[in-house]
Amino acid sequence: VSDVAHEVYAVGSRGEGKAKTFVDTYYKEAGVAGAEKVKLHSSYESLLADEGVQAIYVGTPHSHHYQNVHAALSAGKNVLCEKAFTANADQAKALVALAREKNLFLMEAVWTRFQPFAYKLQEILRSGVIGEIRSAQAELNVDFTKTAKADPSHRLVNPDLCGGSLLDLGPYPWTQLFLALMPEPSTGAAHPLPKIAASMTKTFTGVDCSTIAVIQFPQPDGRVVHGTLTTSQDSQTPHGRVSVVQGNLGYVEVQWATYRPEGLVYKSWKTEEEYAEGGKPEKEESFSFVPRPGGIWGFAWEADEVARCLRDGKKESERMPLRDTVLMMEVFDEIRKQGELVYPEAVETLELA
Ligand SMILES: NC(=O)C1=CN([C@@H]2O[C@H](COP(=O)(O)OP(=O)(O)OC[C@H]3O[C@@H](n4cnc5c(N)ncnc54)[C@H](OP(=O)(O)O)[C@@H]3O)[C@@H](O)[C@H]2O)C=CC1
Ligand SMILES: O=C1OC[C@@H](O)[C@H](O)[C@H]1O
C-alpha cells in the first residue's frame, strides 16, 4: 500500500539478548530493510518507557495479555494484542475501559478479518447468490500431538499459560461463523450473548484438547441460524474445505487454512428444487488468494489497519471493533463453563501482578 507506512522501531523481550536474536533471525537474516536500526530492549518496562514507540504489538501467551496490555496502555501506548485477547471477558472489558479512559487505540490482532478472503466471503453472502443463509460450520484442528502436547510446559497445553484448543485455535472458526452469520448492528451496541451448546475433551494437563460448540445466531428477520465451531489439538483438518456456509440456493466453501484461507468457492442454483436435485449449478465461481503480494502471510493487512486508525485519530477499528472482541471472550467463557475448563486464579484475575 502507499497510503500508510510502518517501521518496526523497537523489540522488547524479557531477557538479555533475546530481542537481538529475534531481530537477527526475523529481520536481518530475512534481509528486511532497516533491520540494523531496530532498538533492542531487554525488558518490557524498558520498551514501555521508550518515547519513540507509538504502538505495541503484544505477542505473548494468552495468560499474559491482560497484564501486558494493561501495562502498555498505562504507559500511554496504543496496542494491537494477539488473539485470544485475554483469559476471559472480564479482563477484556477492563482493558477496553482502560483504553477509553486513556484515549488510546486498542485492537485484537485477528489478522483473518483483514485478509482479502474475508471481504470476498461477505460480498458473496451479501449478494444473495446462495439465497437465504441457513447454517455454517467452521473448523480448525491442528495436530500438535508430536510437538507441543508432549511438553506440559508448552503454552498450547499449559493451564498457567491458558493453553487449550479453544483459546488458541477457536478465534479462527469463530471469526468465520461471525463473518457469515452475525448480523451487523447498525449502532455501536454490544451483541447479546448467543445460545450455546458445547462439549470439550481434555488433555493430560486438563485444558481442552477438542472443543465443539453449536452456537445460535438470531437473524434480523427473526430466524435463528446454527453455526458449528470445531477445534482440536490432536487431529488435523484436511487441506481442503475448512468451513462452509449453506444457503437455500447454494453454498460457499472456504479452503484451508481457517486462519488464512487460500481459496473460496461458491455454487448456486436457480431454485431450491434444482439445488436439492444436485444438478449443474446456475452459477459457480472460485477465488484464489495465493500467491499473496510479496509472499506475505497476512499480518500486513492488519498492520495497515492499525496505521490507518492511528493516522486518522481513531481509537478503535471499525473492522475489528472492541465489542466483537468482548463478545468472542463472552462466548468462550460460556463454552469453557459448559466444558468445565477453569484456568488458575493467577491468570483469570483482574488483579495486577
Ligand atoms: N496470528 C497468528 O497467526 C498467530 C498468533 N499467535 C498468538 O500469538 C501469541 C503468542 O504465541 P507464540 O508466539 O506461539 O507464543 P510463544 O510461546 O512463542 O511466546 C511468545 C513470546 O512470549 C513470551 N513468553 C513466552 N513464554 C512466556 C511466559 N511463560 N511468560 C511470559 N512471557 C512468555 C516470550 O517473549 P520474551 O521471552 O522474548 O519476552 C516469547 O517469545 C498467542 O496469543 C497466540 O495465540 C500465535 C501463532 C500464530
Ligand atoms: O494463531 C494460530 O494460528 C495457527 C496455529 O497453528 C497456532 O497454534 C495459533 O496460535
Side-chain angles (χ1 to χ4, degrees), residues 104-241:
L104 290 164
F105 175 82
L106 178 63
M107 187 178 103
E108 183 182 10
V110 183
W111 64 340
T112 315
R113 278 214 190 193
F114 299 96
Q115 296 171 7
F117 107 91
Y119 294 97
K120 180 53 79 179
L121 173 64
Q122 288 182 303
E123 185 190 312
I124 292 168
L125 298 178
R126 283 185 194 130
S127 76
V129 74
I130 66 161
E132 188 178 80
I133 296 169
R134 297 282 170 86
S135 74
Q137 295 105 46
E139 175 177 301
L140 180 56
N141 296 350
V142 183
D143 189 352
F144 292 124
T145 36
K146 301 276 182 310
T147 53
K149 275 196 74 183
D151 172 7
S153 70
H154 195 286
R155 78 159 181 92
L156 289 168
V157 287
N158 185 347
D160 296 334
L161 299 179
C162 290
S165 64
L166 179 66
L167 261 58
D168 186 52
L169 303 173
Y172 301 114
W174 164 257
T175 296
Q176 306 257 351
L177 298 180
F178 187 94
L179 291 173
L181 302 181
M182 183 61 89
E184 291 159 46
S186 52
T187 68
H191 298 283
L193 181 68
K195 281 192 189 159
I196 297 167
S199 170
M200 281 181 166
T201 66
K202 303 287 172 55
T203 65
F204 67 110
T205 57
V207 300
D208 61 313
C209 173
S210 157
T211 292
I212 297 183
V214 181
I215 304 167
Q216 290 195 354
F217 291 85
Q219 302 298 299
D221 60 6
R223 291 179 308 119
V224 177
V225 170
H226 271 144
T228 311
L229 174 156
T230 305
T231 65
S232 158
Q233 295 186 334
D234 74 349
S235 65
Q236 186 68 39
T237 301
H239 278 232
R241 158 175 136 180

Side-chain angles (χ1 to χ4, degrees), residues 14 44 57-66 68-69 81-84 155:
R14 295 168 304 160
Y44 296 165
Y57 165 70
V58 174
T60 52
H62 314 137
S63 49
H64 288 59
H65 291 176
Y66 174 68
N68 295 157
V69 175
C81 175
E82 265 304 335
K83 40 54 69 179
R155 78 159 181 92

